[in-house]
Amino acid sequence: MSSTVTRTRLAAAAATAGIVVLAGCSSSGSSDKASASSCAPAKGKVTLQYWNTVPGMDKVVALWNTKHPDVQVQMKNISNDQYGLIGNALKAGKAPDLAQVGYDELPNLRTQSAFVDASACKAATAAESKFVPWTWSQASFGGTGVFAMPQDTGPMALFVRTDLFKKYNVAVPTTWDEYATAAQKLHKADPNLDMTFFDPNNAEWFNGLLWQNDAKMYGYSGDKWQVTVESEQSKQVADYWQKLISEKVVRTDLANGSTQMYAAYQKDQIASYVGAAWGYSGFRDNLPKQAGKWSIVPMPTWGTSGGSGDWGGSTVAFMKGSKHLYESVEFNTWLNTDPEALALENKLGGLYPAANAGLDLPALKQGVPYYNNQKIFDVFAASSKKIDTSFAWGPTQKTVNLALQDAMAKAAAGKGTLSDALAAAQAAALKSMKDQAIPATAGK
């Protein structure tokens, strides 16, 4: 416990320093501070606007509305163009009171003065103890304010078609070396069977793999961001997957969550899936005939390191321009800490809660029928505890991810390598920061 607290405090210090840079290079430092008076409750009925991308969230909002007639919430699903719609609304001065924002997008939107600091509300600051520490550190920019409430996380694990491994007498791997060996054995036993797929257009997934290997992409020292996207730890991950791609034991023609992806699994063409907690419902809902054939185990590890990674997860951010901060805090806290709300979000949307209370939900303590009654959330809970809390995102992460994806797609097509993609992402990070007058240098 003490080591976790120490890492969190170190992360907070680094994040705080980073925000000083952002505040100096944009208008975010002053515009997102909420005054004490702005947290006063409204004198009449209030309607809040809440934008998100989560399936079934309308039913969660409906539950709130039945219990709170004086604070009604109107929900809009923006899954078709999440950040495009948020960006346009900000430019037009018509942002909603609350919006779903991924952890990796928070720094980018912060530079656009997208948020209001809700720390004037006592209920907002008091919520810190209710969340997994690393999520609060990211949502509060290392404790410099309360800009969002953590909603869900994506602790990673390995989804395994147990029946296929048994059929070909291949042991379920526990290390990445074993995973590569198992990939060779399965493909040799059945040339139409690949271990998994590498989605070159999914930087967030790849970042989760880097995170697991302690490949920190950013640091802060000497009054500058230290960009380390192209670190030795990152290259180790890139070279590993490049080898699997070159050996043609993983596919590169599938997009995560696509119809084609599920079709490949349905046809027994892929034996495993490196995914996150929220992915459990996708297999359950799209491959019902494979019930009982899947199990979930810890991610393969690098050598003796037992670390894990996070893929995805979101916050519900307090957006600039909201006239009802008090009520926004009230709803946001309920949405992301109330056991009844969390249970619905997990059941309908597959969310793995960032709230500590979510880990004690009865639904997350029970065996899941689709996975042969395995208590799969025990695996994700253990994974969550092994995620490095000091990992941080850069202020231009969206630009970096796009550069990474473009170069990974070229590598998958045989034009360059995944290590080249890291170099391209590193260059994009430095250039994008320079373009925004954010002090940055290549770190070691």
Side-chain angles (χ1 to χ4, degrees):
M1 178 65 72
S2 60
S3 62
T4 300
V5 172
T6 300
R7 289 198 306 271
T8 302
R9 287 174 179 168
L10 288 173
T16 301
I19 292 304
V20 172
V21 175
L22 295 181
C25 301
S26 71
S27 59
S28 62
S30 58
S31 65
D32 55 17
K33 289 296 180 183
S35 64
S37 61
S38 68
C39 199
K43 296 180 180 179
K45 291 186 177 182
V46 168
T47 299
L48 301 176
Q49 302 294 326
Y50 167 44
W51 292 4
N52 73 89
T53 68
V54 182
M57 188 59 78
D58 55 328
K59 294 181 175 59
V60 183
V61 170
L63 175 64
W64 163 273
N65 286 338
T66 60
K67 295 183 176 184
H68 301 82
D70 290 336
V71 181
Q72 294 289 285
V73 177
Q74 293 181 351
M75 195 210 80
K76 178 178 180 179
N77 188 292
I78 55 171
S79 56
N80 61 324
D81 184 18
Q82 183 179 7
Y83 295 111
L85 291 170
I86 290 176
N88 290 337
L90 285 167
K91 291 177 183 177
K94 297 181 179 179
D97 299 275
L98 300 159
Q100 180 185 353
V101 177
Y103 295 103
D104 59 341
E105 280 290 334
L106 285 170
N108 181 46
L109 285 173
R110 163 80 168 175
T111 64
Q112 301 174 43
S113 304
F115 309 128
V116 61
D117 181 1
S119 59
C121 302
K122 292 183 179 179
T125 56
E128 178 177 0
S129 63
K130 299 180 180 180
F131 295 96
V132 174
W134 73 263
T135 65
W136 186 265
S137 181
Q138 295 215 4
S140 65
F141 292 96
T144 61
V146 182
F147 304 94
M149 292 282 182
Q151 181 164 77
D152 71 307
T153 65
M156 298 178 75
L158 182 66
F159 294 55
V160 176
R161 270 291 299 274
T162 311
D163 60 323
L164 293 179
F165 278 78
K166 288 182 178 179
K167 178 180 179 180
Y168 297 112
N169 195 30
V170 176
V172 174
T174 60
T175 68
W176 285 114
D177 283 344
E178 291 176 0
Y179 189 78
T181 299
Q184 292 285 358
K185 290 180 178 179
L186 288 170
H187 193 67
K188 183 176 180 180
D190 180 357
N192 294 317
L193 179 62
D194 292 305
M195 174 59 96
T196 191
F197 68 97
F198 183 99
D199 181 357
N201 294 305
N202 198 322
E204 290 84 359
W205 173 78
F206 189 70
N207 290 339
L209 299 177
L210 301 182
W211 194 335
Q212 184 205 16
N213 198 32
D214 197 28
K216 296 177 178 63
M217 302 173 74
Y218 304 90
Y220 187 85
S221 64
D223 296 327
K224 289 184 179 181
W225 282 94
Q226 306 294 318
V227 181
T228 54
V229 176
E230 196 183 9
S231 67
E232 289 303 314
Q233 293 93 331
S234 294
K235 289 179 181 178
Q236 183 182 13
V237 176
D239 290 345
Y240 175 87
W241 285 94
Q242 183 64 54
K243 189 171 186 291
L244 294 183
I245 292 171
S246 299
E247 293 174 347
K248 300 187 185 302
V249 292
V250 300
R251 291 176 60 168
T252 58
D253 60 336
L254 301 173
N256 185 71
S258 66
T259 300
Q260 293 80 3
M261 183 201 84
Y262 287 116
Y265 281 106
Q266 184 66 59
K267 296 174 183 176
D268 296 343
Q269 294 175 347
I270 306 180
S272 72
Y273 174 75
V274 182
W278 45 262
Y280 91 95
S281 60
F283 283 81
R284 177 198 65 191
D285 298 343
N286 289 279
L287 301 170
K289 293 182 179 180
Q290 291 185 359
K293 296 181 179 181
W294 285 93
S295 64
I296 297 178
V297 300
M299 276 184 85
T301 57
W302 294 101
T304 58
S305 171
S308 193
D310 182 89
W311 173 21
S314 296
T315 68
V316 178
F318 299 101
M319 304 302 291
K320 182 180 69 174
S322 174
K323 295 179 174 60
H324 302 292
L325 190 58
Y326 179 92
E327 289 76 18
S328 293
V329 169
E330 186 179 26
F331 170 69
N332 205 346
T333 304
W334 174 88
L335 182 71
N336 294 305
T337 64
D338 180 82
E340 191 174 7
L342 295 177
L344 261 184
E345 291 160 21
N346 175 261
K347 179 181 179 180
L348 301 175
L351 296 186
Y352 186 76
N356 294 319
L359 305 181
D360 294 323
L361 291 175
L364 300 186
K365 297 279 189 183
Q366 301 169 358
V368 178
Y370 182 83
Y371 294 91
N372 203 28
N373 290 316
Q374 178 191 357
K375 294 183 178 180
I376 63 172
F377 293 108
D378 286 351
V379 179
F380 292 119
S383 173
S384 182
K385 293 176 182 177
K386 296 176 181 178
I387 295 171
D388 180 10
T389 60
S390 66
F391 186 92
W393 301 108
T396 59
Q397 191 65 45
K398 183 175 181 178
T399 298
V400 175
N401 283 350
L402 290 173
L404 182 61
Q405 288 173 180
D406 181 63
M408 287 198 303
K410 292 177 181 176
K415 301 176 182 178
T417 66
L418 294 180
S419 283
D420 294 335
L422 290 174
Q426 171 97 357
L430 292 169
K431 183 180 185 302
S432 58
M433 290 188 191
K434 180 180 180 181
D435 290 346
Q436 295 187 39
I438 300 173
T441 187
K444 297 181 180 179

